[in-house]
Amino acid sequence: MLLIVLELIGIAVFAASGAVAAVRARLDVFGVIVLALTTALGGGIIRDVLLGVHPPTTLRTWPYLLVAGGTGLIVFWFHPQVAKLRRSVLLLDAVGLGLFVTSGTTTALALGATPYAACLIGMTTGIGGGAVRDLLLREIPLVLRREIYAVAALAGAVAVALGTLAGLPKDLVALTGASTIITIRLIALWRKWNAPVARGLEG
């Protein structure tokens, strides 16, 4: 039950980030809800498609859709208030990323994926929704151009895969993976870390 609650919180936070981006892009209420759903559920859908799980889990479980869509509506109506909670949203986003990547990696391993594939699928679970959101808004995905986000996700996925291979308890593996992601993400935000870009570019 605790895991389900934490996953729903992660979905709500991801949905809020998608809805905020949609509001800033001046989309209508339908567009805001679509972006909220895409951001919150896109990574999980990509994971299930890659693993051959049909239909995707998030489309068979109504609370996920309800929480994501409801969050989109709330942000649509109360976006000025939500904008003031930026720090809290970033903190919860880090937690959500940790939960999604850990869950995605664990699921992939449980369904027979190799550790290498499981790490990539786990990372995609965490960053996939945000990447699709940015593409729908005709932007270069944020995870490809700034902030330590995808790197944190991959580090957590590797921690989960290594812990599983070592035969450690599942709860400890999940906690270690999520903690790795959250710690890296929060330090990156605090220190304003960004991945390096090529030097000598004009403009």
Side-chain angles (χ1 to χ4, degrees), residues 49-73:
V49 170
L50 291 174
L51 293 173
V53 178
H54 302 293
T57 304
T58 52
L59 299 183
R60 290 186 281 113
T61 309
W62 65 266
Y64 294 119
L65 293 169
L66 179 62
V67 169
T71 300
L73 276 176

Side-chain angles (χ1 to χ4, degrees), residues 62-138:
W62 65 266
Y64 294 119
L65 293 169
L66 179 62
V67 169
T71 300
L73 276 176
I74 291 173
V75 171
F76 179 79
W77 291 110
F78 301 102
H79 61 90
Q81 290 82 355
V82 173
K84 296 178 181 179
L85 302 174
R86 183 176 181 275
R87 289 187 177 181
S88 298
V89 170
L90 287 175
L91 173 60
L92 291 174
D93 180 81
V95 175
L97 180 65
L99 292 171
F100 278 28
V101 172
T102 300
S103 173
T105 308
T106 302
T107 300
L109 289 170
L111 292 177
T114 64
Y116 169 77
C119 289
L120 295 180
I121 291 173
M123 179 184 70
T124 302
T125 304
I127 70 174
V132 175
R133 172 202 65 204
D134 293 343
L135 291 174
L136 289 175
L137 293 175
R138 295 188 297 177

Side-chain angles (χ1 to χ4, degrees), residues 4 8 10 13 16 23 30 35 38 48 52 84 87 104 109-110 115 121 131 148 151 156-157 176 198:
I4 293 175
L8 291 176
V13 173
V23 168
F30 179 75
L35 262 292
T38 299
D48 288 349
K84 296 178 181 179
R87 289 187 177 181
L109 289 170
I121 291 173
I148 305 299
V151 173
T176 301

